[in-house]
Amino acid sequence: MQLTSGPPTPAGLGYAPPHSSQPPISTSYQSAPQPSFTQAPPPASSAPTQPPPPNAPAASQQYYRGPPPPPQPPFNSALPPTSQQQFLSSAPPPPSQQTFPPSFSSSIPPPSCAPAPPVSQSQQPFSTPQPHFSSAPPPVSQPGFPSGPPPPAQGSFPPQPTPSSSQPGSVPPPGPPPTSVTSGQYPTPIQHQQQPPDSQPSPYHSGPPPPRFQMPPTVNHLPPGPQSPPGPQGPLQQPPSPQTGYPPQQNGAFGQTRSPQAGYPGPYPVQPNYGAPAPAPAPAAPAQKRLDPDAIPSPIQVIEDDKAKTNEPFVTGVRGQAPPLVTTSFHVRDQGNASPRFVRCTAYNMPCTADMAKQSQVPLAAVIKPLATLPPDENPPYMVDHGEGGPIRCNRCKAYMCPYMQFIEGGRRFQCSFCNCVTDVPPHYFQHLDHTGKRVDCYDRPELSLGSYEFLATVDYCKNNKLPQPPAFIFLIDVSYNAVKSGMVSIVCHELKSLLDHLPRENPEVDSVVRVGFVTYNKVLHFYNVKASLAQPQMLVVSDVSDMFVPLLDGFLVNVNESRQVIESLLDQIPEMFADTRETETVFGPVIQAGLEALKAADCAGKLFVFHTSLPIAEAPGKLKNREDKKLIGTDKEKSLFQPQVGFYNNLAKECVAQGCCVDLFLFPNQYVDVATLGVVPVSTGGSVYKYTYFQAQTDQERFLNDLRRDLQKHVGFDAVMRVRTSTGIRATDFFGSFYMSNTTDVELAGLDCDKAITVEFKHDDKLSEETGALMQCAVLYTSCSGQRRLRIHNMAVNCCSQLADLYRNCETDTIINYFSKYAFRGVLSNPTKAVRDTLVNQCAQILACYRKNCASPSSAGQLILPECMKLLPVYLNCVLKSDVLLPGADVSLDDRAYLKQLISCMDVADTHVFFYPRLLPVMKLESGSLPVAVRNSEERLSKGGVYLMETGLHLFLWVGASVQQELLLNLFGTPSFSQIDSSMVRGDASLCSCVGSVVVNT
């Protein structure tokens, strides 16, 4: 251990072995064994998809010219179940069976099919609707963003499932799809069999019904259909598969998406109505009709429709009422349930039984954002102070007083709605009841009339029964060669001089009580004494990083106003002191240890702002090596790339959480830095990770400074603990987000800011009642930035139902996608990405298949039936499947994937929506005061003569067409020529370009 004063000296380096190993924080998935494929899919290529000829007819008809399929024997119930089902069509049913309730479903008419050579298509689920009767996967893959929807592949008959030993030719009749998937496990991935192209009958046949075609077996064993003696295997039937697991299955889990046809209107653009009978088939045409992308449900239309119907404030007093979409601007009136800005649920009508929940496969979860920022026209949660007695709670389950509590015996006792326990009312809290059984002071007390409020906690809620000290912010700046050369050190020091005036505070008129400290580091650490009585700051160097300690107590953490001159002098000198450094190696683990020890010495909670540039390869605890290996992508070992390289940081994160030390990491890498390992501490402590690859001061400075300013000023709580209580019948079983859990109930967050959300999954442990509904209470105990100990309470009541139709009528797709994305991104820690993607597809198939079977009116077997509130589920889930975490492109680094995985784990519903389905705005004709209506995210929607702005939540992209008008180019870029646009610019002559991160020019 070495302690010196003055400029940095050569480091005496040592190594301390890590402490006892700590099991990984994240919960793993269980992976089911995967069956063997009977036929390998064709090799992938990147050949672009070619659109059909422009003179192709509007519709086509193809008749089956070969011999009829052989007669089929009775249904064999012994066949194994499948996880997906293709909905095949036969003769159209009577018109009365083709009309579906608008509140339950949206049907899309099918396209006509004609013979054509196979074309390139994306093999991703939902990316492009597959043709009718298709059972072969597309022969060629393509990039995640194609140049337009490909034409449908040539139809072929579905493969025959593996027959049982007792009945070689057993075939089930077309029946309802499967309805359940084991929760928490990855089921067997879907298999695809490639079939030779062949003719097929029209989905709309005016003659007698065509023969019943082969379908894969379903979970539901229905009575067999028409029987006929078994015959020899026909030329279109597939021989039995030698495998012993699942039979060959068909591509396309959700039936068939159909393009609009004349006389068959639908619910989307150019389809004013739906449910009308189909017209008589048109004569066969040789050309193939391209699928109309407008036949797929439009997210833009759904978003605009929701905005149009939301013209009144959203009142939370109605139990089980679904709120407006996150894309809609609305005003909230709290009348007993938490605002949707704080809590959003996947379903506002919860199934009464576990069997019903398992059958529907709709996830039961809530996304909770405890400290969410409210609009200026909405009141923040009221503060309630019950004095030394503290908040009123249930004696048994410890639930806090809320509007659901029932006062009895004239107001002397209350019955808990969560556990039904009866508790005496303290004398100072007693009040009489009115004729309805409510307290006469009900509307004078926030905890009895509002869904969200705060309690001022007593000393009993503090560590060691001692009121907390005000928090501290410590800035730890990498001063190695890469950091200095990139300009990062100079930018950070210059910006901090002004940012220190904007530290978080409860009252804007009062100075912040947050104290600050400063450390610089490369292979050694430099601590700075900035005590107010000093004329110049003093540097103390700790070179023995194997045994980290803080060399000073008095003068390290100081009040900004008292030590302003010394602090500004230090920030001016740091870039000069290290301007000529040649040190390239850095440490990282000891840096966090230094900040942790400083907070321990000051006996306070706080936040570390770490500005880091490179992989920590210097000899020190937490040393890492470069393990980047793209050869592992797509293999069973790919999951190891998302796991921490060493266990040291897991143990360090646990210590940080115990102290209330939150870590925010700003990364400026020029090469691999192992974000999966470095991000363990920020993610586990409730912090954030920011990444600026190949940082350049000229182009990236503004984005970095905006992130730093917001991160430093936003509302944050420290040393937080969150617990979710539920009424009898359900319980919180799983949690997703940036936190640490030492047990199964308490979510521990060293820091909790206004941007962090926690997704909570619920499971049944008993039967629920339709009369009482289901209740949830989220309680967060935290220390405010002024040093107060507080309890923030959010209450939510939802309905319960015994009918699946009621469940599907009150779901929220955006929240379901938030849950699915976090569930899947955590799954890559212990499962191959292909298995994770297959699981998402399977569960979506189960959700829609259960709706079709139990809620939709009888319809043609090939029609895609979607619940009204879930008609965008396949579209949005396809976006999750195409994300860089689950389907990386060739230019996506391992660090980028780990960064996105960590980032999305703590996003709320609004953030995940815009990330997975970005907003694409045409900016050719801007009207003052309003943004244009967004367009659907497809390359074919981009005009060569237009300019489009795309927002992803992380970046803004400006897409410029090659034929754009000169006037628009002059206004935006100051140049009349398309070829002279600087694609690296971040600011143009127009305010539109002031924060655009990238300019994409289309040549």
Side-chain angles (χ1 to χ4, degrees):
M1 187 178 302
Q2 182 178 357
L3 175 63
T4 60
S5 178
T9 58
L13 300 178
Y15 177 77
H19 299 291
S20 60
S21 61
Q22 176 73 13
I25 297 172
S26 300
T27 306
S28 299
Y29 289 76
Q30 297 178 1
S31 178
Q34 304 181 13
S36 59
F37 286 80
T38 58
Q39 181 175 347
S45 71
S46 58
T49 301
Q50 297 296 332
N55 57 354
S60 62
Q61 175 82 22
Q62 182 70 29
Y63 292 94
Y64 172 63
R65 299 184 178 86
Q72 305 295 345
F75 168 69
N76 179 15
S77 62
L79 288 174
T82 63
S83 57
Q84 280 192 333
Q85 174 170 339
Q86 176 88 13
F87 298 113
L88 305 179
S89 72
S90 60
S96 60
Q97 295 183 0
Q98 293 188 355
T99 301
F100 313 113
S103 61
F104 288 170
S105 66
S106 298
S107 60
I108 304 173
S112 302
C113 297
V119 294
S120 168
Q121 283 187 330
S122 171
Q123 296 188 19
Q124 293 310 310
F126 311 112
S127 60
T128 303
Q130 298 297 323
H132 205 57
F133 293 115
S134 173
S135 62
V140 184
S141 64
Q142 70 177 27
F145 292 94
S147 59
Q154 185 173 359
S156 61
F157 284 94
Q160 179 177 351
T162 305
S164 65
S165 58
S166 59
Q167 293 181 333
S170 297
V171 178
T179 56
S180 65
V181 170
T182 304
S183 177
Q185 290 188 342
Y186 283 102
T188 307
I190 302 162
Q191 303 180 38
H192 301 285
Q193 294 287 334
Q194 184 168 4
Q195 294 293 319
D198 205 331
S199 302
Q200 67 179 27
S202 167
Y204 299 105
H205 200 289
S206 59
R212 177 165 296 174
F213 297 106
Q214 184 83 15
M215 289 186 65
T218 63
V219 172
N220 306 280
H221 298 159
L222 301 181
Q227 303 182 11
S228 60
Q233 193 169 25
L236 297 179
Q237 291 181 303
Q238 184 172 341
S241 171
Q243 68 184 41
T244 58
Y246 284 79
Q249 299 178 16
Q250 297 173 333
N251 191 19
F254 311 109
Q256 203 60 49
T257 301
R258 304 176 177 182
S259 61
Q261 300 179 3
Y264 199 96
Y268 305 110
V270 307
Q271 294 178 273
N273 192 7
Y274 65 103
Q288 175 178 309
K289 183 181 183 297
R290 184 182 184 186
L291 286 176
D292 186 355
D294 287 329
I296 303 172
S298 169
I300 305 303
Q301 188 65 44
V302 172
I303 291 171
E304 294 301 321
D305 289 347
D306 190 75
K307 291 179 180 179
K309 72 180 183 182
T310 305
N311 49 19
E312 297 291 336
F314 178 73
V315 180
T316 67
V318 181
R319 188 180 75 180
Q321 180 183 8
L325 300 179
V326 291
T327 51
T328 300
S329 177
F330 60 96
H331 179 77
V332 179
R333 290 182 184 171
D334 189 343
Q335 293 188 358
N337 281 323
S339 165
R341 309 190 200 282
F342 294 122
V343 181
R344 278 187 178 266
C345 301
T346 58
Y348 289 87
N349 219 333
M350 192 169 290
C352 285
T353 63
D355 291 340
M356 184 177 170
K358 184 178 181 180
Q359 182 183 8
S360 71
Q361 284 297 304
V362 175
L364 305 179
V367 180
I368 305 173
K369 197 175 182 181
L371 302 183
T373 303
L374 299 179
D377 59 344
E378 295 182 17
N379 295 324
Y382 288 94
M383 175 67 68
V384 180
D385 185 1
H386 284 308
E388 296 181 358
I392 311 300
R393 308 178 66 179
C394 171
N395 282 341
R396 179 190 295 168
C397 68
K398 303 301 180 183
Y400 294 91
M401 180 60 64
C402 65
Y404 313 135
M405 300 299 187
Q406 299 294 325
F407 286 88
I408 57 177
E409 298 182 10
R412 294 178 178 84
R413 308 176 81 186
F414 70 90
Q415 184 174 20
C416 177
S417 296
F418 295 89
C419 68
N420 296 322
C421 177
V422 176
T423 303
D424 292 333
V425 174
H428 71 275
Y429 198 70
F430 170 79
Q431 187 56 266
H432 294 285
L433 307 182
D434 61 13
H435 65 284
T436 64
K438 290 186 178 181
R439 289 171 53 118
V440 296
D441 64 347
C442 173
Y443 296 103
D444 296 329
R445 292 187 176 274
E447 73 273 21
L448 299 180
S449 58
L450 299 179
S452 299
Y453 44 87
E454 284 191 335
F455 289 118
L456 188 62
T458 61
V459 69
D460 297 333
Y461 293 85
C462 304
K463 285 185 177 179
N464 303 321
N465 290 332
K466 179 180 171 184
L467 292 176
Q469 296 290 328
F473 285 177
I474 302 178
F475 301 92
L476 304 108
I477 307 172
D478 181 353
V479 290
S480 63
Y481 175 77
N482 289 334
V484 175
K485 183 180 178 181
S486 67
M488 181 270 288
V489 175
S490 177
I491 292 173
V492 169
C493 292
H494 180 270
E495 185 66 21
L496 285 180
K497 289 192 294 184
S498 59
L499 277 182
L500 293 178
D501 291 328
H502 302 283
L503 295 174
R505 64 200 73 193
E506 297 292 338
N507 189 340
E509 300 177 359
V510 180
D511 293 336
S512 175
V513 297
V514 176
R515 293 173 291 171
V516 297
F518 301 90
V519 176
T520 57
Y521 67 94
N522 40 48
K523 289 172 60 176
V524 297
L525 275 73
H526 322 110
F527 294 81
Y528 296 95
N529 186 346
V530 287
K531 194 174 181 179
S533 59
L534 297 176
Q536 288 291 328
Q538 295 179 348
M539 174 195 288
L540 293 92
V541 180
V542 175
S543 56
D544 187 2
V545 293
S546 62
D547 186 13
M548 182 51 55
F549 70 101
V550 180
L552 75 161
L553 296 178
D554 187 25
F556 180 67
L557 294 178
V558 298
N559 184 280
V560 174
N561 291 332
E562 295 175 358
S563 304
R564 180 172 297 277
Q565 291 185 351
V566 184
I567 290 174
E568 290 185 353
S569 176
L570 169 65
L571 294 175
D572 288 335
Q573 294 179 31
I574 286 177
E576 299 175 0
M577 283 191 293
F578 300 98
D580 299 326
T581 184
R582 291 294 180 265
E583 184 59 67
T584 57
E585 293 186 352
T586 61
V587 296
F588 185 75
V591 176
I592 304 231
Q593 286 178 326
L596 174 62
E597 293 299 325
L599 294 179
K600 283 182 178 179
D603 192 23
C604 68
K607 179 181 283 191
L608 310 182
F609 296 82
V610 183
F611 305 90
H612 191 76
T613 59
S614 57
L615 190 71
I617 58 175
E619 286 296 332
K623 174 184 176 181
L624 302 177
K625 62 181 180 180
N626 192 329
R627 58 170 179 166
E628 185 177 26
D629 187 1
K630 290 198 172 185
K631 294 180 181 178
L632 299 181
I633 297 178
T635 68
D636 290 342
K637 294 184 179 180
E638 182 180 7
K639 57 190 177 186
S640 65
L641 302 175
F642 294 101
Q643 299 169 354
Q645 187 177 148
V646 294
F648 169 81
Y649 293 100
N650 289 326
N651 298 325
L652 183 57
K654 183 178 179 181
E655 296 178 17
C656 288
V657 171
Q659 181 58 38
C661 172
C662 178
V663 179
D664 281 351
L665 177 59
F666 294 81
L667 284 172
F668 306 84
N670 291 334
Q671 56 186 357
Y672 179 75
V673 293
D674 201 347
V675 176
T677 302
L678 297 186
V680 167
V681 177
V683 169
S684 301
T685 58
S688 304
V689 179
Y690 302 88
K691 185 169 177 286
Y692 313 92
T693 306
Y694 302 112
F695 178 82
Q696 295 182 0
Q698 181 179 2
T699 58
D700 299 321
Q701 175 177 348
E702 186 170 3
R703 181 166 68 99
F704 161 58
L705 291 181
N706 283 335
D707 290 341
L708 177 60
R709 291 164 188 158
R710 192 176 191 287
D711 191 78
L712 191 71
Q713 300 175 31
K714 62 187 176 183
H715 180 41
V716 61
F718 298 96
D719 204 8
V721 179
M722 186 183 90
R723 176 173 288 190
V724 177
R725 295 177 174 88
T726 56
S727 56
T728 303
I730 58 171
R731 58 189 176 89
T733 58
D734 208 351
F735 301 85
F736 305 85
S738 295
F739 52 79
Y740 178 81
M741 293 189 71
S742 57
N743 54 47
T744 59
T745 57
D746 293 331
V747 176
E748 302 176 40
L749 304 107
L752 175 63
D753 60 56
C754 59
D755 295 331
K756 296 295 185 298
I758 295 96
T759 299
V760 185
E761 184 181 10
F762 301 98
K763 293 292 174 89
H764 286 76
D765 55 12
D766 202 351
K767 187 176 182 180
L768 297 173
S769 169
E770 292 187 68
E771 296 180 359
T772 58
L775 306 178
M776 179 197 74
Q777 183 180 83
C778 169
V780 180
L781 176 65
Y782 71 98
T783 302
S784 70
C785 58
S786 62
Q788 275 189 339
R789 200 68 173 156
R790 297 179 178 178
L791 273 160
R792 177 162 289 198
I793 310 297
H794 297 297
N795 302 290
M796 177 62 68
V798 298
N799 289 330
C800 294
C801 61
S802 57
Q803 300 295 326
L804 285 169
D806 295 329
L807 167 64
Y808 283 98
R809 190 184 292 114
N810 290 276
C811 293
E812 190 179 43
T813 300
D814 294 326
T815 310
I816 292 175
I817 291 297
N818 180 282
Y819 167 82
F820 275 154
S821 62
K822 295 179 180 181
Y823 177 85
F825 288 4
R826 189 177 68 179
V828 299
L829 289 171
S830 54
N831 296 272
T833 53
K834 182 182 183 303
V836 175
R837 290 169 55 232
D838 287 342
T839 298
L840 289 182
V841 175
N842 289 343
Q843 187 156 1
C844 184
Q846 299 285 2
I847 292 173
L848 300 181
C850 178
Y851 174 82
R852 181 187 181 95
K853 173 191 173 185
N854 297 283
C855 306
S857 302
S859 60
S860 175
Q863 284 183 306
L864 176 62
I865 308 298
L866 298 171
E868 180 63 23
C869 64
M870 282 190 185
K871 59 187 177 184
L872 297 181
L873 182 63
V875 177
Y876 286 162
L877 193 63
N878 189 35
C879 299
V880 177
L881 295 170
K882 288 183 175 181
S883 64
D884 288 336
V885 178
L886 298 182
L887 190 68
D891 58 342
V892 179
S893 68
L894 297 175
D895 276 344
D896 288 335
R897 298 176 68 190
Y899 164 68
L900 291 177
K901 172 186 169 297
Q902 296 169 353
L903 179 71
I904 292 170
S905 68
C906 58
M907 278 186 176
D908 71 343
V909 179
D911 292 337
T912 53
H913 177 273
V914 73
F915 178 82
F916 289 115
Y917 197 88
R919 284 202 303 169
L920 184 62
L921 303 175
V923 296
M924 291 79 76
K925 297 180 180 180
L926 288 177
E927 298 179 1
S928 59
S930 63
L931 289 175
V933 177
V935 298
R936 297 175 68 172
N937 290 339
S938 174
E939 186 175 351
E940 70 172 10
R941 310 276 176 172
L942 304 177
S943 169
K944 293 285 187 178
V947 178
Y948 299 84
L949 184 67
M950 187 173 75
E951 174 199 2
T952 68
L954 298 180
H955 303 93
L956 289 176
F957 295 93
L958 195 63
W959 189 94
V960 183
S963 305
V964 68
Q965 296 180 358
Q966 291 186 356
E967 181 181 358
L968 193 57
L969 290 178
L970 281 172
N971 291 335
L972 294 178
F973 307 105
T975 176
S977 173
F978 173 84
S979 60
Q980 295 177 0
I981 297 176
D982 181 9
S983 61
S984 62
M985 69 183 300
V986 294
R987 182 182 294 275
D989 294 336
S991 59
L992 173 68
C993 299
S994 61
C995 57
V996 174
S998 299
V999 176
V1000 181
V1001 293
N1002 176 33
T1003 56

